[in-house]
Amino acid sequence: MSKEAAENILELAWIVPLICLVSAGVLTTLGRKLKEPWGGVVGVGAVGVAFLVTVVVFAALLSLPADQRVFEHVLFEWIPAGGFRIEAGFLVDPLSILWMLLVTGVGFVIHVYSLGYIAGDERYTTFFGQMNLFVASMLILVLGNNFLVLFVGWELVGACSYLLIGFWFKKIENSSAGNKAFFANRVGDFGFLVGLMLIFATVGSLDFDTVFGAAYASLGGGAGVPIALGTATAICLLLLVGVTGKSAQVPLYVWLADAMAGPTPVSALIHAATMVTAGVYLISRAHPLFALSEVSRAIVTFVGIGTAFYAATIALGQYRVKRVLAYSTISQLGYMIAAVGIGGAGYAAGVFHVISHGFFKALLFLGAGSLMHAMHGEEDMRRLGGLRKVMPWTAGLFLVGGLSISGIIPFSGFWSKDAILGALYESPESWGKIAWGIGLAAAFLTALYMFRTYFLTFTGDRSWGDEAHPHESPWVMVIPMLVLAVGTTLWGLADLPGSQWLHGFLEPTFGVFGGEAERWTGEVVLLLTAGLLVGVLGVATAYAVWSRATRERRISFGERIPAGAGMFWRKAYDVDAALEYGVRRPGWELTGVLATVDEDAIDRTVMGIGGGAKRAGRQLARLQNGSVRVYASVFLGGVVLIAAYVIVRGGAGL
Amino acid sequence: MTLAAASSDMPFVTLLVFIPIVGAVLIGLLVPSRRGDLAHVLGVGVSLLNLAIVIWLLVAFDADSAKFQFVERSSWIPELGIGYLMGVDGVSLFLLALTGFLFPLMLLGSYHIRRRLKHFTVLVLFLEGVQMGVFGATDLFLFFIFWELTLVPVYFLIGYWGGPDRIRAAVKFFIFTALGSAFLLAAIVATGFLADGPVSFNINEIIKTDFPLWTQRILFWGFTIGFLFKVPVVPFHSWLPDAHTEAPTAGSADLAGVLLKIGVFGLIRFSIPLFPRAAVEAVPILIALGVVGIVYAALVAMRQDDAKRLIAYTSISHMGFVVMGLFALTTTGVQGSIFQMLAHGLTTAGLFFLVGFFYDRRHSHEIAAFGGGVRTVMPVYAGVFLFMAFASAGLPGLTNFVGEALTLFGTFVGHRWFAIVAATGVILAGIYMLWLYQRLFNGELTVEENRGLKDLNARELAVIVPIAVLVLALGIYPKWVLERIEPSVDRIVTEVERKTEGTDQEYVQPEQTSPGGIEVETAPAPSEAEHDEAEDEALSGTGGEVSP
């Protein structure tokens, strides 16, 4: 492909979100008028076409020499006001194209799966419309060439998440879960927004080019306005607030488990594979800013790795399959955040794991969905068991996802998680090894909770009642899972130590910040072995404890741990209660006091001015004799009286 | 271009003021009272004619000029220096447009009114005319007359066509506004007499006077308190929730869409440019009032049991952004402020229309009357409502986001902490809006009376869809509006800076470390501006409003 041809194609990258946006608009407007399956066909078709176009764009980008693979294009001036001038422009580079492929590729697979999952729902067409809107929003997020366009996508994906969590709105819990997600995200977005204001006040622009130029200048390279260390740290930490909201990190992770109230394809696409990785994208994109402040990178790393460990301990105590997967997602996102927090080789490792996780976590969620589809929504492991025999495909594919997330060779999870652990261990930062230690412990927990889930669900005695008639899901649901399983089996090849295609591909984005490519050394082999060992140990422990669980043992699991501490742990450390008593109730009281004060103020004011008069006529009369007389000029009084006369008498006319 | 040339002499403002007023008089005299339906149809026609004039004005407006265009000058009461002076600039253009856009919808949405529909129509048309006059007047006294005249129709709209507690609400509205007007009238008279030269109320003359600081302070606050009652800014706000709750739908839409804007318009047109030193001095107080209003009203909104009342409080909260951005006194902030007025006018009026649609069916706007689950019977209604709720909560891609972002970014440069506190309004707006939505629409349908409700009909869609389209269009392509606002705003900001130079730079200069700060590349080259001005002066003989 010639250079011009490639650039002509890249210039049209904005068509990808537009396709999904138009389709979303059509589907939402038509709603029920478009009958099943046509709504699904349009919705799936749009994402499919978007994926194909993305592949073409990807090919065009690849055809360019590596150092020219950063392509920016401005569509129109969006908000010009004084010195604040924002363009609607997009940026295609190795980082954004990978996310585009992930979003449209995994998005397409999950859309296909939804054809089976959501079949028969009365809001079938609307579902696909909202899913399409999400894909479009996510594409806007990753394509923006400045922080404000990124923020547009950032907020829009939050809105779509809200819509889809509460998709089955008749159940008020679903609606509340949607609200909770939106509120937690808004808290994060507040931090993000203040961060943007600080960037603008410091650099005078929100364009990536200008802002990162300033960051390079501060590091001593190139022209631009240097950013002071304190300011850089403040900016990075404010962005981190946004990241903790969107990517469900401590302390704003509280919404993600409840978000499982949405239909399972939503959980797979939005709350596992794509939207929640937006925080990883933001930090990767803003890496020159993070390079300025070691403090902020340390904080990001420990927020990430701390979340990875913390959420894994919660996942181990859950009974509902989707809840396990939700906390597992929080935990895995923690790894990614830690990787891009520590930087260097961590950037490529983080992105590697984002896509790896996109495959295996989407697969696990679709497996859970297939299970719920077969069991009429039942997902409590205490009432499952032995399902391997009735749904072999689902069980086998779930097992592949489980092996991958547990870090078992040769699946992609093994390679990508170890890339992160390796980046932490080998980082020049002194605190990297502490983070590595925590990460390794969390990897053990990961294998443990994942195989606890697998064994309790698919092996051992069946614990479901006779009223359930589980069956294998239709092919339209199994084949997408198969595709994802193939993905997670092969994706590891993208960044094997020694070759590291991905690391090289991302070089135009990360440049000098991206660290050295990894080679086969004794240390690398040792690290990989350590990672594999904890994984195997976790699987083996799970096998020993849970693989032959009987019906009685499943039911009694709750009581085997001392009641107080056990319940505290199983209820995810009761953070929801803390929120209720620490945030919601005080807020409720505060607004109550203010509302009362406001009402009283109204009464007092009116009493004060209007006296005790009860009737409007008397009040008006008082007005004209009273203190406001200065104002009440003759002509106005006249107009009022005439108009009053006409209105009250309903006379012949004005 | 030929259109622009042909329309350069059009007395646009006079047309906009008198088409509805003459229409009101004719309908009042010629249509019999029992033919309310006929009066209503004619009223819609008259307001649509005015909308056509507004569109013509938008097309004919010269986007690059900072000056008043389509200037009309006649002497009226020469002994007192009162003139019939009208003109349009970037500040007033879109407020005129918003007025022209909303009134046909207000009339259209009121077809169900049974009581004296003819008189209702006449009053609404009269209101449209005088509000156009408020935005078009460039003579202080003329402005005041129009300002006062808005009081009459609104008073009767609330007091006659309002809800159960309408009399109290109407009187309260009257008292508060009248109180504000007292300050305003006193300040206007004093300004006219104290300005240099013969007594004049022409703002283009008055602006040349550099009042002594104490005079500025007194006059500034006289004007400003009058305007703050109208906005309303938080300690002066308590008339608004009552007025909104009791007003008929059209009244609420007008209050939120247009009437509140005349307060802010007064601040931009008079308080700040006429008394710049006092204005700059007052910046911290006024920004603080704006920010307190954002947070306070948002918190109070959460505890309302009446959907209309809740939206009224959100309206106060959003107007806080307008006041804050305005007194940031940066081009970005002031542009954001004007844009936010437009955005707020559309979304809040839209929300009031939507609540009104439910009221027409169930004769209540209590949240309990919805009782949840209304989405199951009125899916289209619920969808449009969610769209407006998201717009009101500042979702990007929709118009309010642009206004809020500009006011925030414009304020942050000089007043960090205020902007940060104001940004918490982003969180709060999300909470009260989605929580309201949940209580109205989600869950199972619990109120039996709601079971048979019909979804939006064609007429209702004709009211709400144009608003929704604009909300989306202005969110995606606000440039067309912003670039028309910018020259006039830039001129005001630059003038304020010039006149306050050396007195109190802190409030008009961007932070030291911001090389690409707000002021950069906004000022037109002075020589060019002067040239334009001289040329225009020579052509029209009106005189520039500012001596260079």
Side-chain angles (χ1 to χ4, degrees), chain A residues 565-599:
Chain A
M567 281 318 289
F568 181 65
W569 167 55
R570 292 215 189 274
K571 285 168 80 179
Y573 308 116
D574 246 348
V575 172
D576 280 337
L579 280 178
E580 170 72 18
Y581 289 101
V583 179
R584 202 193 67 83
R585 290 201 184 176
W588 182 245
E589 294 304 322
L590 172 69
T591 54
V593 169
L594 287 179
T596 316
V597 167
D598 204 66
E599 298 275 325

Side-chain angles (χ1 to χ4, degrees), chain B residues 294-543:
Chain B
I294 293 170
V295 177
Y296 173 86
L299 289 173
V300 175
M302 305 221 185
R303 282 299 277 261
Q304 301 306 313
D305 301 321
D306 184 293
K308 252 186 139 180
R309 209 176 167 83
L310 193 154
I311 296 166
Y313 276 103
T314 71
S315 177
I316 299 172
S317 180
H318 286 131
M319 291 307 280
F321 280 101
V322 174
V323 172
M324 176 188 77
L326 176 58
F327 281 95
L329 289 181
T330 57
T331 307
T332 305
V334 178
Q335 266 183 284
S337 175
I338 295 173
F339 194 88
Q340 174 72 359
M341 282 201 271
L342 201 61
H344 168 270
L346 291 171
T347 50
T348 312
L351 283 169
F352 279 123
F353 276 125
L354 287 165
V355 173
F357 296 157
F358 185 80
Y359 184 83
D360 297 342
R361 288 163 171 74
R362 288 286 324 282
H363 301 287
S364 172
H365 28 68
E366 299 261 333
I367 292 172
F370 288 78
V374 173
R375 211 168 159 180
T376 50
V377 285
M378 301 176 72
V380 175
Y381 176 61
V384 182
F385 200 108
L386 186 61
F387 177 86
M388 285 294 168
F390 267 138
S392 175
L395 194 73
L398 306 178
T399 171
N400 286 47
F401 172 74
V402 177
E404 274 171 30
L406 286 179
T407 54
L408 284 171
F409 278 93
T411 307
F412 187 86
V413 177
H415 309 270
R416 258 172 209 204
W417 289 103
F418 281 126
I420 292 174
V421 175
T424 59
V426 171
I427 306 177
L428 299 175
I431 297 180
Y432 61 62
M433 266 303 159
L434 291 189
W435 193 45
L436 170 71
Y437 189 79
Q438 167 165 339
R439 286 181 290 168
L440 301 182
F441 293 104
N442 288 348
E444 291 285 353
L445 194 73
T446 55
V447 180
E448 274 310 310
E449 294 96 308
N450 289 344
R451 200 161 294 279
L453 291 184
K454 292 262 182 300
D455 212 335
L456 298 186
N457 59 35
R459 210 190 275 244
E460 289 166 333
L461 285 173
V463 171
I464 200 69
V465 168
I467 297 180
V469 167
L470 266 190
V471 164
L472 185 62
L474 290 182
I476 294 172
Y477 199 72
K479 183 184 172 186
W480 199 85
V481 171
L482 287 170
E483 67 188 5
R484 280 166 177 71
I485 299 175
E486 182 155 350
S488 302
V489 165
D490 197 46
R491 178 181 188 135
I492 293 170
V493 171
T494 323
E495 276 301 301
V496 169
E497 258 175 64
R498 189 179 63 79
K499 288 182 178 170
T500 53
E501 225 155 67
T503 51
D504 207 344
Q505 289 211 350
E506 195 192 335
Y507 298 115
V508 286
Q509 293 297 324
E511 191 203 339
Q512 295 298 312
T513 57
S514 88
I518 291 273
E519 256 69 33
V520 175
E521 70 180 340
T522 58
S527 62
E528 197 186 322
E530 274 168 35
H531 174 72
D532 275 359
E533 219 166 88
E535 200 175 61
D536 284 6
E537 214 166 315
L539 284 173
S540 64
T542 57

Side-chain angles (χ1 to χ4, degrees), chain A residues 78 81-84 123 169-170 175-176 179 182 186 190 201 588 591 598 602 606 609 616 619-620 623 631 654, chain B residues 29 122 148 155 167 171-172 174-175 237 296 303 313 332 335 376 393 426 434 438 442-443 475-476 514 518 522:
Chain A
W78 179 32
F84 186 81
R123 296 175 70 228
F169 61 84
K170 283 182 197 163
S175 163
S176 299
N179 283 358
F182 197 80
R186 274 269 156 140
F190 161 75
W588 182 245
T591 54
D598 204 66
I602 287 173
V606 173
I609 297 167
Q619 292 210 5
L620 272 176
L623 254 180
Y631 133 81
L654 276 168
Chain B
L29 292 176
V122 165
E148 284 302 318
Y155 175 80
I167 302 291
V171 170
K172 206 162 160 184
F174 193 89
I175 292 172
H237 69 285
Y296 173 86
R303 282 299 277 261
Y313 276 103
T332 305
Q335 266 183 284
T376 50
V426 171
L434 291 189
Q438 167 165 339
N442 288 348
I476 294 172
S514 88
I518 291 273
T522 58

Side-chain angles (χ1 to χ4, degrees), chain B residues 22 115 148 216 381 473 499 547:
Chain B
V22 170
R115 290 175 79 193
E148 284 302 318
Q216 284 207 16
Y381 176 61
K499 288 182 178 170
S547 57

Side-chain angles (χ1 to χ4, degrees), chain A residues 392-418:
Chain A
W393 280 99
T394 300
L397 294 169
F398 196 91
L399 180 65
V400 170
L403 289 170
S404 189
I405 192 178
S406 304
I408 306 299
I409 200 162
F411 300 103
S412 68
F414 167 74
W415 299 107
S416 60
K417 190 186 290 181
D418 277 296

Side-chain angles (χ1 to χ4, degrees), chain A residues 290-323:
Chain A
F290 285 86
L292 295 179
S293 161
E294 192 189 331
V295 184
S296 66
R297 274 185 298 129
I299 293 174
V300 172
T301 306
F302 281 101
V303 164
I305 209 71
T307 304
F309 182 82
Y310 170 82
T313 65
I314 299 177
L316 192 57
Q318 301 300 307
Y319 285 118
R320 284 158 65 184
V321 177
K322 277 182 79 179
R323 289 237 154 200

